[in-house]
């Protein structure tokens, strides 16, 4: 069995892990990258820590909102008549077929100084004319939520669709209310799939580049836009690799937390 796994492990090691490690710790574009030294300096840099905190905050809020929006939709699709599930699921994930740039540019129109939301707030008397919602954390969260909600729907549906409806019916037949049957029967079984979706959304939000660049601007940088600045503007590949290490660590920590929560839910 070990020999059968050897080709796949070798392909993973030399096709992914080796170039990944070289890029992070010894970027070929830099003569003396000193990645670890620059990483230590960044961990004491207030600006970089502020950007990292904003990245985690935006990613966590995006994940929570995607969960609140996506899980109920996935549940409704999973409980719909089977002949309609395919159509409903296709409609839910259709935005994934559109370019990220196109979907992000739509928020420039909606959140701009003369955009739909600004005009609505002015009409309701809640703000003065020309309210600027772009280049704020609100804009970042809105754009990323639109971007990743279909992924949450898809992963949650894949988990919910394998739960037999008769389990809920049996729980209700034994006296459980619909809410209690959902909390005690459906949710624990669906939790692993939901956590996978949350992990994908969080990792995607931490590493997203186009949406933070267009909606956050220079006033609300994230780690991804900071990495781009180091690599393509300042041409400091050592610092860019240090930022990439921070992003990798955040994603790995989130994956560890997701795994722990999945085991707790299984118990």
């Amino acid at each position: 069995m070990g020999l059968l796994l050897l080709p796949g492990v070798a392909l993973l090691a030399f096709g992914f892990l080796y170039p990944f490690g070289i890029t992070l710790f010894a970027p070929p574009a830099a003569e003396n990258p000193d990645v670890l030294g620059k990483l230590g300096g960044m961990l004491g840099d207030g600006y970089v820590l502020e950007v990292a905190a904003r990245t985690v905050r935006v990613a966590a809020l995006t994940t929570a909102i995607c969960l609140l929006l996506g899980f109920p939709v996935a549940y409704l699709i999973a409980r719909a008549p089977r002949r309609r599930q395919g159509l409903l699921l296709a409609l839910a994930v259709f935005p994934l077929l559109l370019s990220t740039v196109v979907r992000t540019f739509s928020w420039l129109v909606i959140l701009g100084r003369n955009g739909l939301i600004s005009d609505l707030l002015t009409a309701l008397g809640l703000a003065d004319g020309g309210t600027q919602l772009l280049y704020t954390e609100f804009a970042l969260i809105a754009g990323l939520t639109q971007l990743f909600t279909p992924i949450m729907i898809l992963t949650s549906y894949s988990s919910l669709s394998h739960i037999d409806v008769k389990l809920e019916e049996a729980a209700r037949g034994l006296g459980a209310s619909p809410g209690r049957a959902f909390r005690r029967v459906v949710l624990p079984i669906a939790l692993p799939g939901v956590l996978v979706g949350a992990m994908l959304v969080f990792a995607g939000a931490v590493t997203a580049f186009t949406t933070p660049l267009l909606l956050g601007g220079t006033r609300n940088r994230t780690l991804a836009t900071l990495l781009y600045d180091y690599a393509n503007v300042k041409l400091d590949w050592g610092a860019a690799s240090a930022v990439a290490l921070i992003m990798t660590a955040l994603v790995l920590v989130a994956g560890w937390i997701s795994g722990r929560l999945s085991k707790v839910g299984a118990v």
Side-chain angles (χ1 to χ4, degrees), residues 147-263:
L147 199 64
F148 293 113
T149 297
I151 295 177
M152 180 63 75
I153 293 174
L154 192 61
T155 54
S156 299
Y157 170 80
S158 66
S159 181
L160 289 167
S161 61
H162 292 89
I163 301 176
D164 196 336
V165 180
K166 294 181 180 179
L167 292 176
E168 286 186 82
E169 295 175 352
R172 294 178 187 178
L174 293 173
S177 64
R180 186 176 179 84
F182 175 81
R183 292 193 305 271
R184 299 298 297 271
V185 177
V186 176
L187 192 57
I189 300 176
L191 185 61
V194 173
L195 290 175
V196 168
M199 176 60 200
L200 291 175
V201 172
F202 184 85
V206 167
T207 58
F209 169 71
T210 304
T211 301
L213 179 67
L214 294 176
L215 299 183
T218 58
R219 290 184 296 178
N220 287 278
R221 287 187 180 277
T222 63
L223 288 173
T225 57
L226 185 64
L227 187 154
Y228 176 85
D229 185 58
Y230 278 125
N232 293 280
V233 179
K234 299 179 181 179
L235 301 180
D236 188 346
W237 283 90
S241 294
V243 175
L245 278 173
I246 296 174
M247 296 169 66
T248 302
L250 291 176
V251 173
L252 291 177
V253 169
W256 179 80
I257 293 174
S258 176
R260 297 291 296 178
L261 290 176
S262 180
K263 291 180 180 179

Side-chain angles (χ1 to χ4, degrees), residues 71-183:
F71 186 80
V73 173
Y75 181 79
L76 292 175
I77 295 175
R79 293 296 178 262
R82 189 162 295 276
R83 64 180 182 277
R84 297 181 182 176
Q85 288 185 14
L87 175 61
L88 293 175
L89 189 62
L91 292 174
V93 302
F94 176 76
L96 294 176
L97 303 179
L98 300 177
S99 168
T100 300
V101 177
V102 172
R103 285 190 281 168
T104 302
F105 264 103
S106 67
W107 285 104
L108 296 177
V109 177
I110 296 172
L111 299 175
R113 192 175 298 277
N114 297 314
L116 176 64
I117 295 181
S118 178
D119 292 343
L120 179 60
L121 293 175
T122 302
L124 295 174
L126 299 177
D128 297 331
T131 302
Q132 177 64 278
L133 296 175
L134 284 175
Y135 314 124
T136 63
E137 287 191 20
F138 171 79
L140 282 177
I141 294 170
L144 291 172
T145 298
Q146 182 208 30
L147 199 64
F148 293 113
T149 297
I151 295 177
M152 180 63 75
I153 293 174
L154 192 61
T155 54
S156 299
Y157 170 80
S158 66
S159 181
L160 289 167
S161 61
H162 292 89
I163 301 176
D164 196 336
V165 180
K166 294 181 180 179
L167 292 176
E168 286 186 82
E169 295 175 352
R172 294 178 187 178
L174 293 173
S177 64
R180 186 176 179 84
F182 175 81
R183 292 193 305 271

Side-chain angles (χ1 to χ4, degrees), residues 1-17:
M1 182 62 70
L3 292 177
L4 294 176
L5 294 176
L6 187 60
V9 173
L11 179 62
L12 177 64
F14 292 102
F16 175 73
L17 295 179

